[in-house]
Amino acid sequence: AQTVTQSQPEMSVQEAETVTLSCTYDTSESDYYLFWYKQPPSRQMILVIRQEAYKQQNATENRFSVNFQKAAKSFSLKISDSQLGDAAMYFCAYTRGSGGAGGTSYGKLTFGQGTILTVHP
Amino acid sequence: DVKVTQSSRYLVKRTGEKVFLECVQDMDHENMFWYRQDPGLGLRLIYFSYDVKMKEKGDIPEGYSVSREKKERFSLILESASTNQTSMYLCASSLFSQGGTSGEVHTQYFGPGTRLTVL
């Protein structure tokens, strides 16, 4: 079974600085997708960034970027120029692709335990 | 933008009551999901549905059932609520395309959540 591990229950960063959140995963699949979701105190889960495993280039979305190390099964999120609005719980998630020997995945997500990010002014 | 709504933000019920949590999405997504979120455990999948009237168990289906009579609506049912079902419940939806390689077809969009307390 696939597992996703976030080893940092809490992280903090000063406003305008850079922080990296860690995520590792375990899978035997070659076709899969990885995601970072953000859940602010208002509780609405929001997609931050996604990475297709078949793409070698790391995904970026404005101040958010990932370091995708496929061989090491590592998928970290870097937040540059941190803002107060970045304070939230961050979840790393994995889903198997539509093909593969395991049959239809239906996009079911496996989540890590989450990392609480605090941003200090 | 995808919009996923849930019937209640906060709900308080008594042990033994039958509880309905409803979720509606407006983007014609095939897949819908119910998760519960507990501190330190992340999100765990209860049930999901990949088409009208189709459902499959997730990782923790015990004590729950679901109903999907229309494509846009997916209901989670607690037949007899218990205190260990006190939790945050999140609904999500996504497209589905067999063999699709676009990240979008695998991306889930979430509702605001329902905080359920069972006394």
Side-chain angles (χ1 to χ4, degrees):
Chain A
Q2 292 82 15
T3 58
V4 177
T5 303
Q6 292 177 249
S7 59
Q8 305 155 318
E10 298 183 21
M11 291 284 284
S12 64
V13 64
Q14 291 294 130
E15 197 174 5
E17 294 190 348
T18 296
V19 64
T20 298
L21 307 184
S22 299
C23 174
T24 58
Y25 59 95
D26 186 25
T27 184
S28 58
E29 302 286 339
S30 59
D31 177 24
Y32 56 89
Y33 300 79
L34 297 164
F35 305 84
W36 278 99
Y37 281 91
K38 169 187 176 182
Q39 189 179 40
S42 67
R43 313 300 283 185
Q44 184 94 35
M45 191 85 75
I46 304 166
L47 176 69
V48 175
I49 200 166
R50 68 173 170 244
Q51 174 79 45
E52 292 87 341
Y54 64 84
K55 290 185 177 179
Q56 294 188 348
Q57 187 172 5
N58 289 330
T60 61
E61 287 288 342
N62 300 314
R63 297 182 295 106
F64 298 88
S65 62
V66 299
N67 184 6
F68 174 46
Q69 300 290 324
K70 193 171 184 178
K73 296 180 180 175
S74 170
F75 182 61
S76 60
L77 175 70
K78 186 172 81 170
I79 307 173
S80 303
D81 187 25
S82 296
Q83 300 175 0
L84 294 177
D86 295 333
M89 174 84 85
Y90 286 81
F91 289 97
C92 178
Y94 161 100
T95 189
R96 183 163 55 83
S98 299
T104 304
S105 76
Y106 298 111
K108 289 181 287 182
L109 287 173
T110 300
F111 286 87
Q113 303 90 330
T115 297
I116 299 172
L117 178 65
T118 302
V119 181
H120 298 290
Chain B
D1 283 348
V2 177
K3 189 170 183 181
V4 181
T5 58
Q6 295 184 227
S7 50
S8 304
R9 291 300 302 270
Y10 300 94
L11 208 53
V12 179
K13 296 292 182 181
R14 299 234 174 246
T15 301
E17 281 193 76
K18 190 170 186 176
V19 181
F20 293 87
L21 303 182
E22 295 203 323
C23 175
V24 178
Q25 50 93 5
D26 67 356
M27 286 303 293
D28 202 34
H29 282 173
E30 286 80 10
N31 298 339
M32 296 188 75
F33 305 83
W34 275 108
Y35 297 91
R36 64 175 283 175
Q37 181 180 3
D38 301 289
L41 297 178
L43 278 75
R44 294 177 292 167
L45 181 64
I46 304 171
Y47 267 97
F48 72 98
S49 169
Y50 53 90
D51 201 351
V52 175
K53 297 189 185 294
M54 306 303 289
K55 60 187 179 185
E56 284 200 15
K57 294 178 180 179
D59 300 318
I60 52 165
E62 296 79 19
Y64 304 93
S65 63
V66 291
S67 172
R68 193 169 181 198
E69 296 296 320
K70 294 184 178 182
K71 190 174 185 179
E72 68 271 18
R73 188 179 299 269
F74 190 37
S75 300
L76 179 69
I77 303 158
L78 288 65
E79 294 288 344
S80 178
S82 63
T83 55
N84 63 12
Q85 293 178 311
T86 291
S87 186
M88 171 68 79
Y89 290 88
L90 297 176
C91 175
S93 71
S94 69
L95 289 168
F96 174 71
S97 175
Q98 179 67 32
T101 57
S102 162
E104 181 61 25
V105 305
H106 296 89
T107 298
Q108 291 188 21
Y109 295 90
F110 285 82
T114 296
R115 168 67 69 183
L116 173 66
T117 302
V118 182
L119 302 175

